[in-house]
Amino acid sequence: MAWFRKDKTPRQPRRERLEIPPDTWEKCEACGHTDIRDKFLRNLNVCPACDFHRRVRAWDYAAMLLDEGSTVEVGSELRSVDPLGFPEYPARLKRALTNAGDSDAILTVAGLLEGLPVGIGIMDFAFMGGSMGSVVGEKIARLGQRSLEKKHPLVIVCASGGARMQEGILSLMQMAKTSAVLSQLAERRIPYISVLTNPTTGGVSASFAMLGDAILAEPGAVIGFAGPRVIKQTLGQDLPEGFQTAEFLLEKGMVDQVVHRKELRDTLSRLMRHMTGRPAAAGHVQESLPSIHWPPRRRQRLNGPRCPIRHITTRSADCSCVPAALGVSGWSVSRSCWRCSAIPIVPIPYSTWRARTGRAARSPRWTRCYADPDCALVAIRLRTSWISLSVW
């Protein structure tokens, strides 16, 4: 009978099954923390759990540093070739161009960083491990020449495994080529800042990466020439904890400051304005310089000194530039404060120190840190070291 039988019809699902895209989740390489990809991107690719700085593509790094709409690529027409006929090198180049893009192992752009014109080179580790070949050296040389012509500061973000072995001696020649351009920038007193990311090793660390007027590094970045395993086998002894990390090099004096990726843009802007003698950007608090009351004779001798930072002749001792106000003849922005690792350190005349503290000293080479308002370091320079003696 019909009412004893029940027609079986397929049930419709109550909820529609959602398909999750495969790139929704990201996993931290250091601690294994898994989170939504958008959360990593909002945090500038820094792990929210362990603060590990993950690698960032070159164009993303440029968008993070430069003002929106001001980026102009330099040397985009250069392409790597196979000059030595190295086996399988053309195929590897083609595969790298497909996966990483058309900018080779470095992206060179010009733009504005908080309104300040600057040239920036950003190495891309995704392109054959950021290896330095002929194109990398030529792009850096052209960007440096552009900085020489326009007198714009130069910033290079390094992330490389070293020279590209497929190009042999041609890749090693780029070390001297880039160093020669940077020496011209130093002669013209044009600032060059090097930013070391994870990893910076090999021929890159032996050339332009360590030649900056100020050397910054991201937290936890691996920085060195040879790997720790090779060094351990050569020395035959265990290496100290944290060897070849940014924090280890900061402790040994090889790096001026370890800067978090969130603070890198503001730090670069502040450094370049210090080095070029420009006023602070909008939104930054300009720290007040100490008031110096000179005797009449001293004030007359200070009338018309040439400021070593701004390269102008001042007409009074109340110049906004500290070296001009103090009558300092020599000045180097490559020195950083021993206490706060900030730049600059300004020399103080011995008479000023004696008048302020009432203490006598054997050496007149006293210094005072004006970069950080919370740092009150007064130190004496002995050869190349800064030894803390007292606070102001």
Side-chain angles (χ1 to χ4, degrees):
M1 298 176 64
W3 53 278
F4 281 110
R5 294 193 304 268
K6 188 175 181 179
D7 296 335
K8 296 182 178 181
T9 56
R11 294 183 178 181
Q12 297 294 332
R14 295 182 180 180
R15 296 180 180 179
E16 184 179 357
R17 188 172 181 179
L18 300 177
E19 294 291 338
I20 301 178
D23 58 346
T24 303
W25 302 93
E26 289 282 348
K27 184 177 181 180
C28 175
E29 297 85 351
C31 66
H33 173 73
T34 303
D35 213 324
I36 301 176
R37 184 171 183 266
D38 292 341
K39 191 172 183 179
F40 277 97
L41 295 178
R42 288 195 301 268
N43 205 31
L44 302 180
N45 253 334
V46 177
C47 178
C50 67
D51 211 35
F52 174 72
H53 285 54
R54 308 174 71 206
R55 296 192 183 110
V56 181
R57 297 299 305 274
W59 277 109
D60 296 335
Y61 219 113
M64 182 177 62
L65 294 179
L66 297 177
D67 298 344
E68 186 177 358
S70 65
T71 305
V72 178
E73 189 173 0
V74 178
S76 59
E77 71 280 0
L78 298 177
R79 293 289 183 272
S80 294
V81 295
D82 185 17
L84 305 180
F86 198 89
E88 300 181 1
Y89 183 40
R92 293 195 61 180
L93 280 176
K94 184 177 180 181
R95 187 163 57 250
L97 288 171
T98 303
N99 299 333
D102 298 335
S103 60
D104 208 270
I106 190 171
L107 171 69
T108 52
V109 295
L112 299 177
L113 197 155
E114 293 190 356
L116 187 68
V118 62
I120 296 185
I122 305 172
M123 304 195 73
D124 195 344
F125 195 82
F127 192 99
M128 298 185 68
S131 55
M132 178 178 60
S134 302
V135 170
V136 174
E138 180 64 21
K139 280 192 171 186
I140 294 177
R142 293 190 182 186
L143 190 64
Q145 290 293 336
R146 187 181 185 278
S147 296
L148 285 170
E149 295 173 0
K150 298 183 176 295
K151 297 183 179 180
H152 292 171
L154 177 64
V155 178
I156 296 182
V157 181
C158 306
S160 174
R164 191 173 299 175
M165 67 174 186
Q166 288 87 350
E167 297 187 15
I169 192 62
L170 297 178
S171 63
L172 297 179
M173 289 172 59
Q174 309 309 313
M175 299 170 62
K177 183 178 183 178
T178 55
S179 300
V181 174
L182 296 180
S183 66
Q184 296 178 12
L185 290 175
E187 292 176 359
R188 304 282 184 87
R189 295 181 178 271
I190 299 176
Y192 163 54
I193 302 175
S194 176
V195 181
L196 311 181
T197 64
N198 184 39
T200 301
T201 57
V204 172
S205 65
S207 55
F208 59 86
M210 291 297 181
L211 295 178
D213 297 319
I215 302 177
L216 309 180
E218 289 186 345
V222 176
I223 305 167
F225 183 72
R229 182 177 59 182
V230 177
I231 298 176
K232 183 178 180 180
Q233 292 176 354
T234 304
L235 298 178
Q237 59 184 9
D238 294 333
L239 301 176
E241 185 179 357
F243 182 71
Q244 287 187 337
T245 60
E247 293 75 13
F248 184 85
L249 295 181
L250 176 64
E251 181 183 353
K252 302 301 179 182
M254 292 291 292
V255 172
D256 293 316
Q257 192 173 1
V258 177
V259 184
H260 196 279
R261 192 172 289 170
K262 294 180 179 179
E263 304 172 357
L264 183 59
R265 175 183 166 91
D266 293 337
T267 303
L268 288 174
S269 174
R270 187 166 60 251
L271 276 175
M272 288 188 293
R273 293 181 188 278
H274 272 304
M275 293 177 176
T276 57
R278 301 198 179 199
H284 290 280
V285 178
Q286 181 90 18
E287 55 175 318
S288 59
L289 300 177
S291 58
I292 302 175
H293 303 284
W294 301 103
R297 293 183 180 178
R298 181 66 174 173
R299 184 180 294 274
Q300 290 176 4
R301 278 186 289 172
L302 278 178
N303 285 340
R306 186 169 180 82
C307 175
I309 293 295
R310 299 169 63 188
H311 301 288
I312 60 175
T313 300
T314 58
R315 295 301 177 186
S316 68
D318 300 326
C319 177
S320 61
C321 187
V322 180
L326 294 177
V328 180
S329 58
W331 171 252
S332 173
V333 297
S334 61
R335 294 295 180 186
S336 61
C337 178
W338 173 84
R339 186 174 183 182
C340 67
S341 300
I343 294 176
I345 282 184
V346 178
I348 285 182
Y350 171 65
S351 58
T352 307
W353 164 261
R354 182 77 179 268
R356 286 291 187 95
T357 63
R359 301 179 184 178
R362 296 180 180 178
S363 174
R365 295 186 296 270
W366 296 94
T367 61
R368 166 78 161 91
C369 174
Y370 286 105
D372 191 348
D374 298 328
C375 179
L377 172 71
V378 173
I380 183 172
R381 180 182 177 184
L382 299 178
R383 293 184 181 178
T384 59
S385 302
W386 301 96
I387 302 177
S388 175
L389 296 181
S390 177
V391 293
W392 192 261

